[in-house]
Amino acid sequence: MFVDKAKVYVKGGDGGDGLIAFRREKYVPEGGPGGGDGGKGGDVIFRVDEGLRTLMDFRYQKHFKAKRGEKGRNKSQHGANADSMVVRIPPGTILLDDDTGEVIGDLTRHGQQVVVARGGRGGRGNIRFATPNNPAPELAENGEEGEERYVTLELKVMADVGLVGFPSVGKSTLLSVVSAAQPKIGAYHFTTITPNLGMVEVGDGRNFVMADLPGLIEGAHEGVGLGHEFLRHVERTRVIIHVVDMAGTEGRDPFEDWQKINDEIRLYNPALIDRPQIVAANKMDMPGAEEYLASFKEQVKRVRPDIEIMPISSLTRQGIQELLYRTVDVLEQIPDEPAIEEVAEVSERKVYKFKAQNDNSFTITRDNEMYVVHSERIERMLKRLQMNSHDAILKLARTMRHMGIDEELRKRGAVEGTIVRIGDFEFEFVEGSSYY
């Protein structure tokens, strides 16, 4: 089964806790602090593997959690950092933050990778807090929580050549003739409902990847007939082979077919209309095809004189080899990767950036007689500090004083004994001292 969209949950590993410990060594007078730092939590990394062609694996595994770092040890030993979790994805995958729609990464090359969820930092042990004024601190930090989010993965097939055209014009048959791919072929519309890939050997040592993209219909740019699901795969192809039923076996005019499909591509993404295009005039073995071809060439020349038209028949293999030679010649003249200009819906998405964690801003609100302080920095500190020690409370009080929270509380009317709440913690405001 071909899967080209998935939603997963990712979480970086939590950092290991720092340790409060003291040295107990012979011949070391006074001992001193010896608690080591906790290890860093593992990152969640998405990495491109060129051997994958679908997001099928993400149908069965939707949660990815990296391991947490080890706790700090005594004798000033650092806890081990956790290994990163590497998740393999196929080339051509776009990673989006599901909540904000921001683009985290657009990965196209083998080995390319991006950190999707960073692991938390390890907590510092009490050896880090020793000062001349406090040589034996009973203070350590908990490990920082790893980042977590839901991520949407969108796959756009990475192929050198994409076959486009109305349903039942012979795209799947052409792919089966020129490659070892075995797409489903039937005499009804939308036989192909997912892209099929095949490696094409031209015969002179050159090769390329061809994708049979499901048939497009009028209104596809608006999502008609799963149009967006089909059209997004065209964006990654370097050359478009537009297959046209030159015999008009469905009762349609070949030139109108060609115009309608090009209009859908242009309306979906105007940049795609400038992508190199070869028209494969298929079914030339059918009666009336020659007459249609002559008229078709005249009409196309008036609109797009740069378009090359090559008559073929997938059934009798007429003109197939010439089409392959011409296609590989065009591929050699253009860059390995097309200049991707995403559709408006994608181009308007913001690129995700990791946020700095040194914001000193805060707000204070009133809840009856209680003052509630909102500050990312202080709330993060409360999570990290091991608040069962006097030293930890003093450190929190000093930080709040330096940030100006004390002064602001006084201006708002806080007096001795006023209850102050931060996150899940409540303190008494004590003038000239700290919070207890």
Side-chain angles (χ1 to χ4, degrees), residues 238-346:
R238 298 163 56 200
V239 173
I240 296 173
I241 292 183
H242 193 151
V243 184
V244 179
D245 178 2
M246 199 51 60
T249 55
E250 296 279 329
R252 299 189 306 267
D253 179 70
F255 179 70
E256 289 183 3
D257 280 6
W258 177 80
Q259 274 191 319
K260 287 177 181 178
I261 296 299
N262 277 331
D263 286 344
E264 294 304 318
I265 292 174
R266 177 179 53 79
L267 291 170
Y268 176 74
N269 187 346
L272 290 176
I273 209 67
D274 297 325
R275 194 68 51 85
Q277 182 181 139
I278 299 173
V279 174
N282 196 22
K283 302 187 181 182
M284 291 303 298
D285 56 303
M286 300 290 288
E290 291 292 345
E291 291 77 7
Y292 271 124
L293 179 62
S295 172
F296 180 80
K297 285 182 175 179
E298 290 180 7
Q299 291 173 301
V300 171
K301 189 173 182 180
R302 286 198 294 267
V303 182
R304 290 281 302 275
D306 59 308
I307 294 291
E308 191 168 357
I309 303 169
M310 303 194 69
I312 66 167
S313 170
S314 299
L315 185 64
T316 65
R317 305 203 175 193
Q318 168 195 344
I320 295 294
Q321 197 60 44
E322 290 80 359
L323 175 64
L324 298 184
Y325 280 131
R326 181 58 191 147
T327 301
V328 78
D329 288 342
V330 173
L331 284 170
E332 289 181 346
Q333 298 170 13
I334 58 179
D336 289 342
E337 292 184 19
I340 302 297
E341 292 187 24
E342 304 290 359
V343 294
E345 141 184 35
V346 176

Side-chain angles (χ1 to χ4, degrees), residues 138-140 385-397:
E138 293 188 5
L139 175 63
L385 286 176
Q386 297 174 4
M387 297 297 294
N388 54 358
S389 72
H390 180 72
D391 288 348
I393 296 174
L394 289 176
K395 179 177 175 61
L396 175 66

Side-chain angles (χ1 to χ4, degrees), residues 162-202:
L163 300 176
V164 303
F166 267 88
S168 298
V169 295
K171 299 186 300 296
S172 298
T173 304
L174 176 59
L175 180 66
S176 68
V177 167
V178 301
S179 74
Q182 297 180 340
K184 183 178 180 181
I185 300 172
Y188 56 90
H189 288 187
F190 296 105
T191 313
T192 304
I193 58 174
T194 60
N196 295 299
L197 294 176
M199 178 63 75
V200 179
E201 298 286 347
V202 178

Side-chain angles (χ1 to χ4, degrees), residues 41-99:
D43 298 329
V44 179
I45 298 174
F46 279 46
R47 181 181 297 163
V48 174
D49 183 341
E50 63 185 2
L52 299 178
R53 291 296 179 190
T54 174
L55 299 176
M56 169 63 78
D57 293 345
F58 298 99
R59 283 182 66 109
Y60 305 105
Q61 184 177 357
K62 294 181 178 291
H63 290 75
F64 298 90
K65 296 182 180 180
K67 293 182 179 180
R68 70 175 300 151
E70 289 189 4
K71 293 183 178 180
R73 302 179 182 181
N74 57 10
K75 297 184 180 179
S76 307
Q77 293 179 343
H78 195 294
N81 295 333
D83 293 332
S84 296
M85 169 179 274
V86 177
V87 182
R88 300 184 308 142
I89 57 175
T93 302
I94 296 177
L95 308 175
L96 305 167
D97 185 293
D98 189 66
D99 292 329

